[in-house]
């Protein structure tokens, strides 16, 4: 609601833009990314089911959460597959951001498979995998330098924008 209470507040433009970018990125996935996600998801599902000896009844909640974790992690990792026309190099986007997303995806599966077969373990793994997938979909294509106000990208003082900004 707005401060006056006359209707819902629209999300900020940055949030709307991020949602549109994420939706567009999912819509235009090439076949090779989809195939990579399906193959990785199937491999991770096999690992999860082998952890319980194929008996889902041992820990049904953990199994469901872990299978979902594996699927989200596979989706996140498949975002590294390059788009058509990008050549054979991985689609890293912003280097540090890509590392964070990839490590969260790998860490979520590792945690689920290496720790106790409990619901809490599955929930934490699912949270990590979900954060990884959202992070990969919403990260920028390139890194932008953090520049303090008043400095240009070369770290030299920027020229004044207005005659009154000049100091005597």
């Amino acid at each position: 609601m707005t401060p006056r209470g006359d209707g819902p507040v629209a999300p900020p433009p940055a949030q709307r833009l991020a949602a549109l970018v994420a939706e567009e990125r999912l819509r235009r996935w090439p076949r090779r990314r989809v195939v990579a996600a399906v193959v990785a998801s199937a491999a991770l599902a096999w690992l999860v089911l082998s952890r319980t000896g194929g008996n889902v009844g041992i820990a049904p909640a953990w199994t469901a959460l872990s299978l979902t974790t594996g699927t989200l992690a596979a989706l996140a990792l498949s975002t590294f597959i390059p788009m058509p026309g990008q050549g054979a190099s991985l689609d890293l986007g912003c280097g540090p951001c890509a590392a964070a997303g990839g490590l969260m995806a790998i860490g979520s599966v590792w945690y689920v498979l290496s720790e106790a077969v409990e619901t809490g373990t599955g929930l934490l793994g699912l949270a990590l995998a979900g954060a990884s997938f959202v992070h990969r979909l919403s990260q920028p294509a390139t890194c932008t330098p953090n520049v303090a106000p008043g400095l240009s990208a070369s770290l030299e003082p920027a020229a004044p924008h207005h005659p009154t900004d000049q100091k005597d």
Side-chain angles (χ1 to χ4, degrees):
M1 300 286 288
T2 60
R4 295 182 303 198
D6 56 354
V9 174
Q15 283 182 338
R16 288 194 308 257
L17 180 62
L20 288 173
V21 167
E23 181 181 328
E24 180 61 25
R25 284 186 181 175
L26 276 178
R27 186 179 307 134
R28 60 184 181 95
W29 270 23
R31 182 171 296 163
R32 59 183 155 192
R33 274 192 181 174
V34 174
V35 169
V38 169
V39 169
S41 184
L44 293 173
W46 179 78
L47 287 172
V48 167
L49 293 175
S50 67
R51 182 82 200 280
T52 61
N55 186 358
V56 178
I58 292 176
W62 177 86
T63 303
L65 291 168
S66 298
L67 288 173
T68 307
T69 297
T71 301
L72 283 174
L75 286 169
L77 292 173
S78 69
T79 62
F80 287 98
I81 303 293
M83 297 293 277
Q86 285 184 327
S89 62
L90 293 177
D91 184 9
L92 295 178
C94 175
C97 296
L103 289 174
M104 279 192 290
I106 293 168
S108 67
V109 173
W110 172 79
Y111 182 74
V112 164
L113 294 175
S114 66
E115 294 297 320
V117 178
E118 296 174 346
T119 304
T121 303
L123 283 171
L124 182 57
L126 182 60
L128 277 172
S132 170
F133 185 53
V134 168
H135 182 76
R136 283 294 296 163
L137 287 181
S138 61
Q139 79 175 17
T142 59
C143 292
T144 56
N146 290 334
V147 178
L151 294 178
S152 67
S154 65
L155 298 179
E156 295 176 11
H161 296 288
H162 193 271
T164 59
D165 290 345
Q166 295 178 352
K167 294 184 179 180
D168 296 329

